[in-house]
Amino acid sequence: MIVHQRYRLLILFTLLIAIFPIEIIGEETGSLDQSITEKQEEIDELDQETERISEELVRMNVDLLEKDKELGQIQQDIDKAEREISETEQEIEQLNDEMQELENRIEKREEIMGNRLRAMQQNDSNWGYIEVLLSAEGFLDFISKYTAVSTIIEQDQNIYQAQEDDLKDLAHIKEEISEQQNQLEQQLIDLEEDNENLAEQIDEMEQAEIRLEQELETNQLTLEQLEIEQEQLEKERQEEQQLALLSQEEPNNDRSRENNTAQGDSRRPSNAPAGNTDSTFIWPTIGGVITSYQGPRWGSFHKGIDIARPDDYSILAADGGIVTFSGWINGYGNTIEIDHQNGYTTQYAHLESKHVNVGQQVNQGDVIGIMGTTGRSTGIHLDFEVYYNGELLNPIDVLP
């Protein structure tokens, strides 16, 4: 019934072609070609932009890695400076203890010297070392007093010298502590400033990276949509070309079409080689040509045969059996598998639509679907495969 309806539509289309010049189809095809070309230019331009963004993202990732390393090094320097400051603080505590000891010694010396001066003032403010020597009553007394005076003078000199040295050391220690503190504090300030600046740079780069990733995602979505539109345009062009070919052929009437369906030879593609005369199968298409045989193709192995440009798009069950699969397979598109209950299994791929369901019993010659171009396909055709007990066969060897 479906076949009859398709031929009525074909007759109507032929009448329309007779009324309207066939150049209309050519004009529409030319318009589609122009649209496909423009769409491809958009895709190419978007591909280039996407590649540019991807390369920029790669460079940015490299720069971010370097910045992260710098940030890590600065953080290590900060940690080191903080440790040195802590160690310096401990040294400062020790220096403070030393300063306290010096201050105590200086204070004791000042006390001794103060006591001596007070004693001299109490006895006689004008009393001095010369008077002590001149008051000697004899040579031995002079020697004794001279020795005492020399000892006192030496002690005073030592006291003054020690006092002067300690005061210098104290001043040096204070200066050293102040310098160390200032250097470490300035180093820490510089490191923290570098750390802050580098963190800001990294943040800006990460924000730029996010924007590029968003732009890349938008481009990819746009690219996918353009590819879908281009695929639809390609499909429309193929349909237009197919209709143009069909319009040039003289359609047969319904009776002759039914007779062709009942005769195996009329179903054979025009370029099909001599087949198996004892075959129980029929050809799964109504006419057409074989565009690809089983064997190596495009770097892989083509398991079946491709049949295109049939007299009718209907796909027929090569033999009776049970439908074991009716769905989508990546690469194959819409696919139907039939188990013929005798060890043989046939597969029909790239269908535009499927007319049977899993578990359904079909008879030889039943229309199970319509030829199409779903999956990875370069045009409207049928990919037909045959298996026996799971082993792949060459369809040409088992078809009539």
Side-chain angles (χ1 to χ4, degrees):
M1 186 66 181
I2 295 175
V3 175
H4 295 169
Q5 291 176 352
R6 294 182 68 86
Y7 294 133
R8 293 192 188 97
L9 291 174
L10 183 60
I11 293 172
L12 178 60
F13 176 77
T14 304
L15 292 175
L16 290 174
I17 291 298
I19 297 173
F20 299 100
I22 195 169
E23 284 78 6
I24 295 177
I25 295 177
E27 292 176 0
E28 292 179 354
T29 303
S31 176
L32 285 173
D33 289 342
Q34 179 65 27
S35 298
I36 291 171
T37 300
E38 293 174 355
K39 196 69 66 178
Q40 186 61 50
E41 291 175 354
E42 291 183 43
I43 291 173
D44 293 341
E45 182 177 352
L46 199 56
D47 276 335
Q48 293 177 359
E49 177 66 15
T50 301
E51 184 177 357
R52 183 193 65 78
I53 294 174
S54 298
E55 291 176 353
E56 188 171 350
L57 276 172
V58 171
R59 288 194 299 269
M60 187 168 292
N61 284 328
V62 173
D63 292 341
L64 277 172
L65 287 175
E66 292 299 325
K67 293 294 183 183
D68 286 337
K69 290 180 181 178
E70 292 180 24
L71 190 63
Q73 184 61 50
I74 289 177
Q75 189 59 53
Q76 290 179 3
D77 293 341
I78 290 176
D79 294 340
K80 181 181 178 182
E82 290 176 345
R83 288 195 302 269
E84 291 177 352
I85 289 175
S86 177
E87 294 172 356
T88 301
E89 289 175 350
Q90 294 176 0
E91 294 177 0
I92 289 173
E93 291 180 1
Q94 295 177 357
L95 291 174
N96 285 330
D97 293 339
E98 295 177 8
M99 286 174 60
Q100 186 63 44
E101 291 179 3
L102 285 174
E103 289 173 352
N104 291 338
R105 289 200 299 269
I106 291 170
E107 184 178 351
K108 287 180 181 180
R109 295 191 192 102
E110 289 177 349
E111 183 180 354
I112 293 171
M113 295 175 67
N115 291 336
R116 182 179 297 168
L117 290 173
R118 283 191 297 271
M120 291 176 66
Q121 289 174 356
Q122 289 174 359
N123 294 327
D124 187 349
S125 59
N126 295 323
W127 187 263
Y129 296 126
I130 299 299
E131 284 75 6
V132 171
L133 293 174
L134 293 175
S135 66
E137 295 179 356
F139 181 73
L140 293 175
D141 186 32
F142 178 81
I143 293 301
S144 177
K145 288 183 178 181
Y146 177 78
T147 302
V149 169
S150 298
T151 301
I152 292 171
I153 292 174
E154 184 178 358
Q155 289 177 350
D156 287 343
Q157 289 177 346
N158 290 336
I159 290 172
Y160 282 113
Q161 184 63 44
Q163 193 81 342
E164 185 178 352
D165 292 340
D166 286 346
L167 288 172
K168 288 181 179 179
D169 290 341
L170 185 60
H172 177 70
I173 290 172
K174 288 182 178 180
E175 183 181 356
E176 183 180 354
I177 289 174
S178 177
E179 185 178 354
Q180 286 182 358
Q181 283 182 321
N182 292 336
Q183 287 180 353
L184 289 173
E185 288 174 358
Q186 185 60 47
Q187 182 182 3
L188 187 59
I189 290 172
D190 293 340
L191 287 171
E192 289 177 345
E193 184 177 352
D194 291 342
N195 186 65
E196 183 178 354
N197 292 335
L198 191 57
E200 290 178 357
Q201 293 178 21
I202 291 176
D203 183 65
E204 292 175 359
M205 293 177 68
E206 288 176 345
Q207 293 298 323
E209 185 179 33
I210 291 174
R211 290 193 296 270
L212 285 174
E213 288 175 348
Q214 292 174 345
E215 186 177 353
L216 183 63
E217 183 178 359
T218 300
N219 283 0
Q220 289 173 341
L221 292 175
T222 304
L223 187 61
E224 291 176 1
Q225 183 60 37
L226 287 173
E227 289 175 345
I228 291 174
E229 294 175 1
Q230 186 188 41
E231 184 178 351
Q232 182 62 34
L233 290 172
E234 288 281 1
K235 183 177 179 180
E236 292 178 6
R237 179 172 65 178
Q238 291 171 0
E239 291 176 351
E240 291 289 347
Q241 291 173 347
Q242 190 67 30
L243 288 174
L245 290 173
L246 291 174
S247 67
Q248 297 173 4
E249 300 177 359
E250 184 68 27
N252 296 322
N253 56 36
D254 292 347
R255 182 178 298 277
S256 62
R257 181 64 64 189
E258 291 174 358
N259 290 336
N260 285 340
T261 302
Q263 297 176 1
D265 289 344
S266 62
R267 295 195 190 96
R268 290 171 54 83
S270 59
N271 62 340
N276 185 351
T277 57
D278 297 329
S279 174
T280 60
F281 288 108
I282 63 171
W283 283 86
T285 61
I286 302 175
V289 294
I290 298 174
T291 57
S292 181
Y293 290 88
Q294 184 184 81
R297 186 179 69 174
W298 303 333
S300 61
F301 186 81
H302 186 222
K303 296 180 180 180
I305 60 173
D306 290 345
I307 305 174
R309 301 195 295 277
D311 297 332
D312 185 275
Y313 285 148
S314 298
I315 301 301
L316 312 177
D319 200 358
I322 297 176
V323 177
T324 54
F325 182 85
S326 179
W328 182 276
I329 299 177
N330 288 338
Y332 285 100
N334 289 324
T335 303
I336 294 172
E337 293 180 359
I338 299 177
D339 183 353
H340 299 292
Q341 307 293 297
N342 57 2
Y344 284 96
T345 301
T346 53
Q347 176 177 291
Y348 313 75
H350 303 307
L351 304 181
E352 177 65 26
S353 60
K354 310 180 300 297
H355 293 176
V356 293
N357 300 314
V358 174
Q360 181 176 338
Q361 177 74 45
V362 295
N363 297 319
Q364 187 180 62
D366 285 352
V367 177
I368 59 174
I370 301 299
M371 185 182 294
T373 183
T374 57
R376 287 194 296 271
S377 170
T378 57
I380 298 175
H381 73 283
L382 170 69
D383 179 78
F384 181 67
E385 297 178 9
V386 180
Y387 297 83
Y388 183 74
N389 291 333
E391 182 180 352
L392 179 67
L393 301 179
N394 190 334
I396 294 301
D397 295 337
V398 298
L399 288 170

